[in-house]
Amino acid sequence: YEWNGVTFNGAGEQTATLQTVNGCDSVVTMTLTVYDPKVTLRNVSDTALCFGGDIHLYTKVLESEGTLSYAWEWPDNAYTYNKPDTLIHNATPAYNGDYTLTVTATLRNDTLTCTATAMDTIKVTVNPEVVMDPPNDTTLCRATMSKVITFHSPLDPKVTYSWHHSNTAIGVTVADGTGDIMPFLADNSGTTPLVDTVTVTPTYTDNGIQCVGEPKIFVITVNPEVVMNKPANQTICHNTTIDTVIITSGLTEGVLTYEWERTVLNGVGG
């Protein structure tokens, strides 16, 4: 601070000796008050989160002197906010970008206002919504080899798949697995179709975090072995009518159709 040609470098009581026009010394004492606002921030780490999560923007002030005010600037200057912290719910990738915080420390009196500022920028990355294509239901015959059951997502190859199924009797002997379901020999030792409910969960990995999507459910059905009961042989006389040949099966579900052929055409009507 400079006054009357004298420079003062610190706050407190200061004394200056002045000489009048008559050559007399005059001692002047004054109190010098220095307004020195300050603010120091600790840098907040960048953050990555899953689709639909909450973005928490917050401030870490290490030291300050003066009254603090806050100004958040969102990406593309889309929005400003004047609180120390805020919570953004149900985040989507539309919120990706740099969020800049300016903290201002202010000291003032009736005639003087002094300020100091500090800034911090937080990079926010929201992963996309994790989705997968719905798997198709499939039906197999007993003792046939299945095809590979593959899973797909628009976000491949950053998506992995885990699955659980309810009925190991169909031929897939493990209850849980990851990736595609490899070919298996379909099995069903019963007389009704075996139904296996498969639940597939997609997981997206990017930006150092894993995000789990909504599970998808599909059904694998294995039909039983097709067997029929052997009709009884019949012996008949010439010009007589045979009894109706009733063909039956031990299967209790589904629709059965039969085809037959005969080896003797002459002498047998029908």
PDB file of all heavy atoms in Angstrom, residues 4 25 75 79 110 130 190 260:
ATOM      1  N   ASN A   4       1.150   8.797   0.299  1.00  0.00           N
ATOM      2  CA  ASN A   4       1.973  10.002   0.388  1.00  0.00           C
ATOM      3  C   ASN A   4       3.447   9.704   0.101  1.00  0.00           C
ATOM      4  O   ASN A   4       4.345  10.210   0.767  1.00  0.00           O
ATOM      5  CB  ASN A   4       1.809  10.657   1.761  1.00  0.00           C
ATOM      6  CG  ASN A   4       2.176  12.133   1.731  1.00  0.00           C
ATOM      7  OD1 ASN A   4       1.920  12.837   0.753  1.00  0.00           O
ATOM      8  ND2 ASN A   4       2.798  12.615   2.808  1.00  0.00           N
ATOM      9  N   ASP A  25       8.545  18.427  11.647  1.00  0.00           N
ATOM     10  CA  ASP A  25       8.132  17.035  11.435  1.00  0.00           C
ATOM     11  C   ASP A  25       6.752  16.808  12.009  1.00  0.00           C
ATOM     12  O   ASP A  25       6.393  17.359  13.074  1.00  0.00           O
ATOM     13  CB  ASP A  25       9.121  16.073  12.101  1.00  0.00           C
ATOM     14  CG  ASP A  25      10.466  16.055  11.383  1.00  0.00           C
ATOM     15  OD1 ASP A  25      10.487  16.417  10.198  1.00  0.00           O
ATOM     16  OD2 ASP A  25      11.468  15.672  12.021  1.00  0.00           O
ATOM     17  N   PRO A  75     -21.731 -29.103 -18.999  1.00  0.00           N
ATOM     18  CA  PRO A  75     -21.237 -29.194 -20.377  1.00  0.00           C
ATOM     19  C   PRO A  75     -22.077 -28.353 -21.338  1.00  0.00           C
ATOM     20  O   PRO A  75     -23.300 -28.263 -21.204  1.00  0.00           O
ATOM     21  CB  PRO A  75     -21.354 -30.689 -20.706  1.00  0.00           C
ATOM     22  CG  PRO A  75     -21.273 -31.363 -19.378  1.00  0.00           C
ATOM     23  CD  PRO A  75     -21.960 -30.441 -18.411  1.00  0.00           C
ATOM     24  N   TYR A  79     -26.401 -25.461 -18.266  1.00  0.00           N
ATOM     25  CA  TYR A  79     -27.050 -25.183 -16.993  1.00  0.00           C
ATOM     26  C   TYR A  79     -26.000 -24.664 -16.023  1.00  0.00           C
ATOM     27  O   TYR A  79     -24.824 -25.032 -16.088  1.00  0.00           O
ATOM     28  CB  TYR A  79     -27.682 -26.476 -16.453  1.00  0.00           C
ATOM     29  CG  TYR A  79     -28.480 -26.314 -15.182  1.00  0.00           C
ATOM     30  CD1 TYR A  79     -29.709 -25.653 -15.197  1.00  0.00           C
ATOM     31  CD2 TYR A  79     -28.007 -26.807 -13.976  1.00  0.00           C
ATOM     32  CE1 TYR A  79     -30.453 -25.503 -14.037  1.00  0.00           C
ATOM     33  CE2 TYR A  79     -28.751 -26.663 -12.808  1.00  0.00           C
ATOM     34  CZ  TYR A  79     -29.969 -26.007 -12.845  1.00  0.00           C
ATOM     35  OH  TYR A  79     -30.698 -25.861 -11.695  1.00  0.00           O
ATOM     36  N   ASP A 110     -17.134  -1.211   3.604  1.00  0.00           N
ATOM     37  CA  ASP A 110     -18.095  -0.288   3.001  1.00  0.00           C
ATOM     38  C   ASP A 110     -17.654   0.206   1.634  1.00  0.00           C
ATOM     39  O   ASP A 110     -18.483   0.571   0.789  1.00  0.00           O
ATOM     40  CB  ASP A 110     -18.320   0.909   3.927  1.00  0.00           C
ATOM     41  CG  ASP A 110     -19.036   0.501   5.208  1.00  0.00           C
ATOM     42  OD1 ASP A 110     -19.701  -0.554   5.190  1.00  0.00           O
ATOM     43  OD2 ASP A 110     -18.931   1.228   6.211  1.00  0.00           O
ATOM     44  N   VAL A 130     -27.675 -50.839 -20.830  1.00  0.00           N
ATOM     45  CA  VAL A 130     -27.262 -52.195 -21.209  1.00  0.00           C
ATOM     46  C   VAL A 130     -28.484 -52.961 -21.707  1.00  0.00           C
ATOM     47  O   VAL A 130     -29.419 -53.220 -20.945  1.00  0.00           O
ATOM     48  CB  VAL A 130     -26.602 -52.929 -20.031  1.00  0.00           C
ATOM     49  CG1 VAL A 130     -26.080 -54.297 -20.470  1.00  0.00           C
ATOM     50  CG2 VAL A 130     -25.470 -52.091 -19.451  1.00  0.00           C
ATOM     51  N   GLY A 190     -38.878 -88.960 -19.966  1.00  0.00           N
ATOM     52  CA  GLY A 190     -40.276 -89.075 -19.561  1.00  0.00           C
ATOM     53  C   GLY A 190     -41.211 -89.203 -20.735  1.00  0.00           C
ATOM     54  O   GLY A 190     -40.802 -89.469 -21.876  1.00  0.00           O
ATOM     55  N   TRP A 260     -49.222 -95.592 -42.065  1.00  0.00           N
ATOM     56  CA  TRP A 260     -49.063 -97.042 -42.112  1.00  0.00           C
ATOM     57  C   TRP A 260     -48.972 -97.501 -43.561  1.00  0.00           C
ATOM     58  O   TRP A 260     -49.402 -96.830 -44.482  1.00  0.00           O
ATOM     59  CB  TRP A 260     -50.204 -97.748 -41.365  1.00  0.00           C
ATOM     60  CG  TRP A 260     -51.594 -97.367 -41.789  1.00  0.00           C
ATOM     61  CD1 TRP A 260     -52.371 -96.396 -41.266  1.00  0.00           C
ATOM     62  CD2 TRP A 260     -52.356 -97.965 -42.833  1.00  0.00           C
ATOM     63  NE1 TRP A 260     -53.574 -96.323 -41.900  1.00  0.00           N
ATOM     64  CE2 TRP A 260     -53.592 -97.288 -42.869  1.00  0.00           C
ATOM     65  CE3 TRP A 260     -52.125 -99.012 -43.746  1.00  0.00           C
ATOM     66  CZ2 TRP A 260     -54.606 -97.602 -43.773  1.00  0.00           C
ATOM     67  CZ3 TRP A 260     -53.137 -99.330 -44.653  1.00  0.00           C
ATOM     68  CH2 TRP A 260     -54.348 -98.634 -44.651  1.00  0.00           C
TER      69      TRP A 260
END
